[in-house]
């Protein structure tokens, strides 16, 4: 059983919206820093957004104002709302988690990952 599992990816037209979700098989969402990352073909994985134990968030400059990360500790879910999608948003999106502590967009801090969900933006 996967510890993290993304869903909600697919094809979306430029300017449209999409909502990604990440479910976890274990309890304790409130004890972890959670994040969304993405990887474009031929590029390194990059941070998109993180949300800390207290709900504080960090966003990459490229997605500010368009992406919203949220979590529900009771439901053990993590979401990423994507609005006004652009061509450059096409990527494999991953959710990730790390123990409480430093919580920012550095993917190397995260040791627990989902398998990813593909988002493809079309004209």
């Amino acid at each position: 059983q996967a510890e993290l599992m993304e869903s909600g990816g697919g094809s979306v037209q430029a300017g449209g919206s999409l909502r990604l979700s990440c479910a976890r098989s274990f309890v304790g969402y409130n004890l972890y820093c959670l994040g969304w990352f993405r990887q474009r073909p031929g590029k390194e994985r990059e941070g998109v957004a993180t949300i800390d134990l207290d709900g504080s968030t960090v966003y990459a400059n490229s997605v500010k104002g368009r992406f919203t990360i949220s979590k529900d500790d009771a439901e053990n879910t993590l979401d990423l709302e994507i609005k006004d999608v652009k061509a450059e948003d096409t990527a494999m999106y991953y959710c990730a988690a790390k123990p409480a502590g430093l919580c920012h967009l550095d993917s190397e801090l995260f040791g627990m990952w989902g398998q990813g969900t593909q988002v493809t933006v079309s004209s």
Side-chain angles (χ1 to χ4, degrees):
Q1 186 177 32
E3 295 180 319
L4 299 95
M5 182 63 70
E6 304 91 340
S7 63
S11 180
V12 60
Q13 197 162 8
S17 62
L18 204 65
R19 191 178 187 90
L20 308 181
S21 296
C22 178
R24 303 183 74 177
S25 62
F26 52 89
V27 300
Y29 243 25
N30 61 314
L31 301 179
Y32 291 85
C33 160
L34 307 171
W36 283 98
F37 298 79
R38 68 184 182 186
Q39 187 168 21
R40 305 169 187 174
K43 299 183 63 177
E44 295 182 354
R45 188 171 300 181
E46 62 181 321
V48 173
T50 62
I51 184 166
D52 209 344
L53 280 63
D54 62 355
S56 61
T57 58
V58 176
Y59 292 93
N61 289 333
S62 60
V63 306
K64 286 182 178 178
R66 299 189 299 112
F67 287 29
T68 302
I69 186 172
S70 62
K71 66 172 182 175
D72 188 325
D73 292 336
E75 299 295 329
N76 218 30
T77 56
L78 172 72
D79 290 347
L80 182 69
E81 184 179 6
I82 307 174
K83 296 182 178 180
D84 189 25
V85 297
K86 303 178 183 298
E88 57 264 35
D89 294 325
T90 293
M92 183 72 75
Y93 285 75
Y94 302 86
C95 62
K98 66 175 293 292
L102 189 63
C103 190
H104 58 50
L105 298 173
D106 186 354
S107 63
E108 295 185 1
L109 296 176
F110 294 78
M112 189 178 300
W113 297 84
Q115 65 181 1
T117 185
Q118 179 69 39
V119 172
T120 302
V121 181
S122 60
S123 300

